[in-house]
Amino acid sequence: FHSFITGPSVVPGYFSVEVENVVLILNGREQPKITYATQWLRYAETLIQTHKIQNVAVVLLGNEQCHNEWIQPYLKRHGGFVNLLFVTYDCTLANEEDIFQWPLGVATYRNFPVVEPSRSMLHDPRSHLCNFLGTVYKNSSRETLMEILKQDGLDKLCWIAAREQWQPQETNESFKSYQDALLQSDLTLCPVGINTECYRIYEACSYGSLPVIEDVMTPGDCGNSSVYHSAPLQLLKAMGAPFIFIKKWEELPAVLEKEKKMSLQEKIQRRKKLIEWYRNFKAQMRQKFINVLEDSFLPNDKV
């Protein structure tokens, strides 16, 4: 049995339910968020000390450069009280014992919907080979991507909408256009941003559009001494993600050339495989989350 409390009215210093075990979902992306997250941790610590609750796990939307050191003193292994940590990105803290890498998932803060695959999503021909809707930062690999698409006229075959500045809030129109692009493209181009992992990867999977991922490490402290030694995206790779991984965008024309030659039947099979993989991935991660929590919080219930 569990209940979920969320929303702006949930402030540190108040749980409306009598519980023994608590999972805090915290945002540790930048300093103001960390300050707020810390208030929650201090409040949870007080509840532990006064025996109001027994166990705490944290799911952390981590910093995109994996600067997550601030949370370490709160972990049990460092004398704190947090039993388990699930953290996004290729965080080097992950050890598969009490600290687990967690997938970023879709951008729920932008109200990305739960998508149910329809017959047309699986079977209809799509009007674009690929899509990229996003910000093109100065001197980034995204500029290279744009140049390569323009060179061979490939931008005519793809749904490309580049902008110069990131917009955190989608308009209804831009969001609809983004979803249409995913639905109408066989491939979704996923250039690195501050981190290699981005919401776009999971959102493309939701619509059966295969992610083409720029498989390079970004600056920062992510993934240099990993459990799997396959960073970036070591979690997705370990789970057998059927994506196209490329090291540089110069490889893209060959990928698109191959794409042009694929029959609709082959594309349908690939879409089905992608959507099935994504469904299983979510189910496995959910099960892992439950198992890890139960093993840690309810060890006496195991017969």
Side-chain angles (χ1 to χ4, degrees):
F1 172 77
H2 63 272
S3 59
F4 185 66
I5 316 164
T6 183
S9 59
V10 183
V11 291
Y14 176 68
F15 284 146
S16 63
V17 282
E18 290 295 311
V19 289
E20 285 185 0
N21 305 309
V22 171
V23 179
L24 294 174
I25 318 281
L26 302 176
N27 188 332
R29 287 224 150 173
E30 63 239 337
Q31 201 46 59
K33 304 271 198 258
I34 292 170
T35 305
Y36 191 68
T38 304
Q39 291 177 327
W40 268 109
L41 288 164
R42 291 201 180 122
Y43 171 53
E45 187 168 28
T46 308
L47 294 182
I48 290 268
Q49 286 164 349
T50 54
H51 305 294
K52 299 262 193 334
I53 59 173
Q54 287 180 354
N55 299 298
V56 175
V58 169
V59 179
L60 181 65
L61 178 60
N63 173 272
E64 287 178 278
Q65 295 183 315
C66 297
H67 302 321
N68 301 312
E69 306 73 29
W70 66 274
I71 192 128
Q72 293 208 57
Y74 295 98
L75 304 180
K76 268 215 162 138
R77 59 168 48 237
H78 296 297
F81 62 93
V82 172
N83 307 56
L84 299 167
L85 174 64
F86 301 88
V87 59
T88 55
Y89 304 117
D90 292 274
C91 182
T92 52
L93 299 176
N95 55 21
E96 289 294 306
E97 290 164 30
D98 58 336
I99 306 172
F100 301 86
Q101 186 175 342
W102 209 243
L104 193 57
V106 301
T108 47
Y109 74 93
R110 287 202 309 252
N111 299 318
F112 192 87
V114 175
V115 182
E116 288 302 329
S118 62
R119 187 179 159 76
S120 69
M121 186 195 293
L122 289 171
H123 293 89
D124 289 2
R126 299 190 172 192
S127 51
H128 296 80
L129 276 190
C130 71
N131 76 75
F132 174 67
L133 282 69
T135 317
V136 178
Y137 305 102
K138 283 267 166 271
N139 305 321
S140 71
S141 67
R142 296 180 177 202
E143 284 194 330
T144 313
L145 169 59
M146 287 300 137
E147 283 161 24
I148 286 166
L149 284 169
K150 288 193 180 97
Q151 262 166 28
D152 301 325
L154 295 169
D155 53 342
K156 307 281 183 291
L157 306 172
C158 295
W159 184 324
I160 306 296
R163 52 177 182 230
E164 287 179 6
Q165 280 207 301
W166 183 72
Q167 295 163 315
Q169 292 309 320
E170 295 275 359
T171 61
N172 285 346
E173 205 176 325
S174 69
F175 191 51
K176 169 100 176 64
S177 160
Y178 173 60
Q179 287 172 286
D180 286 345
L182 297 176
L183 186 56
Q184 286 305 326
S185 312
D186 291 308
L187 305 174
T188 291
L189 308 181
C190 301
V192 299
I194 300 172
N195 195 287
T196 312
E197 190 176 6
C198 57
Y199 298 114
R200 187 191 314 273
I201 295 170
Y202 301 92
E203 292 165 351
C205 291
S206 303
Y207 283 100
S209 182
L210 192 76
V212 178
I213 293 177
E214 184 184 4
D215 185 18
V216 295
M217 285 303 300
T218 44
D221 297 334
C222 296
N224 303 325
S225 60
S226 74
V227 181
Y228 307 110
H229 300 291
S230 56
L233 307 178
Q234 55 198 16
L235 176 63
L236 288 169
K237 289 172 185 169
M239 299 289 274
F243 305 159
I244 296 174
F245 292 98
I246 61 181
K247 289 293 176 197
K248 49 185 193 292
W249 288 116
E250 283 77 3
E251 297 170 44
L252 183 63
V255 169
L256 295 181
E257 225 19 75
K258 196 172 157 195
E259 200 61 23
K260 285 184 207 166
K261 298 190 178 102
M262 273 180 88
S263 69
L264 178 59
Q265 208 41 52
E266 289 171 310
K267 288 179 177 178
I268 289 170
Q269 288 316 112
R270 185 178 65 187
R271 268 178 231 166
K272 287 181 174 171
K273 184 181 159 193
L274 175 63
I275 284 172
E276 180 64 9
W277 173 83
Y278 187 46
R279 199 176 61 80
N280 286 334
F281 173 72
K282 290 188 289 187
Q284 284 173 279
M285 294 312 293
R286 179 174 180 270
Q287 199 49 54
K288 178 175 182 168
F289 186 65
I290 293 166
N291 293 348
V292 167
L293 286 176
E294 286 183 348
D295 290 348
S296 177
F297 290 2
L298 313 166
N300 306 336
D301 294 10
K302 296 273 188 237
V303 179

